[in-house]
Amino acid sequence: MKHSLKTIIFALVLGSFMTSANIVKANDRDSAKNEVILVRGAEVHFADFMSKNAKKLVKTNDWNIFTEVVTLYNVSPSKFLMVSTEKKEAFNEAVKSIEAKLNKVRGEEAKIWKKKVATTAAVIKVLWNYQSNIELMETEQEETPVVIEMLGR
């Protein structure tokens, strides 16, 4: 009787450990799917999806620019904000081509990815616009003392 009771307790403990390990693993895997934008590993899952469903697009320069900007956004915010105007325009064009391709891909998952791409692009554009507004304000502040001196005040 003691032997079977120990076996039952061992099986229950082992089962609870395995269940909690599977729950943690499932939560980690699904966290990228729950993100609204392409962050925290979601961009990797998106790249996997695109490499399966849009093989030609993944080989283009648009894809390279898109992934480069999204990676900078996730990894190095300071470098992300210093992206050139040409690259910003190229990113906007890349987003359009990726969204066009996702419109052609069938399935609910493609619609979800398209929404995430659009939201990510919108967030990135807002940050770039905010940065350029700050730069304009700093430029205006630098010019103000010169104008005051010229007026003799």
Side-chain angles (χ1 to χ4, degrees):
M1 184 75 176
K2 283 185 178 182
H3 182 63
S4 64
L5 184 62
K6 288 180 182 179
T7 306
I8 292 171
I9 291 173
F10 176 75
L12 289 173
V13 170
L14 180 64
S16 67
F17 280 127
M18 291 178 67
T19 302
S20 41
N22 285 334
I23 290 171
V24 168
K25 186 176 179 181
N27 285 341
D28 288 344
R29 183 184 64 240
D30 294 338
S31 67
K33 292 182 180 177
N34 293 333
E35 295 296 331
V36 177
I37 60 175
L38 299 175
V39 293
R40 295 186 193 143
E43 71 276 7
V44 175
H45 295 290
F46 178 59
D48 289 341
F49 174 80
M50 292 299 284
S51 64
K52 292 175 186 172
N53 296 296
K55 295 176 184 175
K56 290 181 182 177
L57 179 72
V58 173
K59 296 176 184 177
T60 64
N61 192 39
D62 285 345
W63 178 254
N64 292 335
I65 290 171
F66 178 81
T67 56
E68 180 183 350
V69 170
V70 170
T71 302
L72 280 175
Y73 172 77
N74 288 318
V75 176
S76 179
S78 60
K79 290 180 182 176
F80 162 76
L81 291 174
M82 298 302 158
V83 171
S84 68
T85 305
E86 294 81 22
K87 188 159 280 197
K88 290 177 183 179
E89 291 171 3
F91 174 78
N92 292 332
E93 292 301 317
V95 168
K96 289 177 187 175
S97 69
I98 290 170
E99 287 177 336
K101 180 60 180 176
L102 286 170
N103 280 334
K104 296 176 184 175
V105 177
R106 293 183 185 149
E108 189 64 30
E109 190 175 5
K111 292 177 185 176
I112 293 169
W113 284 120
K114 182 182 178 230
K115 191 172 186 178
K116 289 181 183 191
V117 166
T119 306
T120 303
V123 168
I124 287 173
K125 289 174 189 174
V126 165
L127 291 173
W128 281 337
N129 288 338
Y130 178 75
Q131 178 67 22
S132 54
N133 287 342
I134 287 179
E135 290 171 357
L136 286 174
M137 287 175 57
E138 288 174 355
T139 305
E140 289 174 1
Q141 288 176 355
E142 290 174 5
E143 293 174 2
T144 305
V146 174
V147 172
I148 291 174
E149 282 182 30
M150 291 175 66
L151 294 173
R153 291 186 184 178

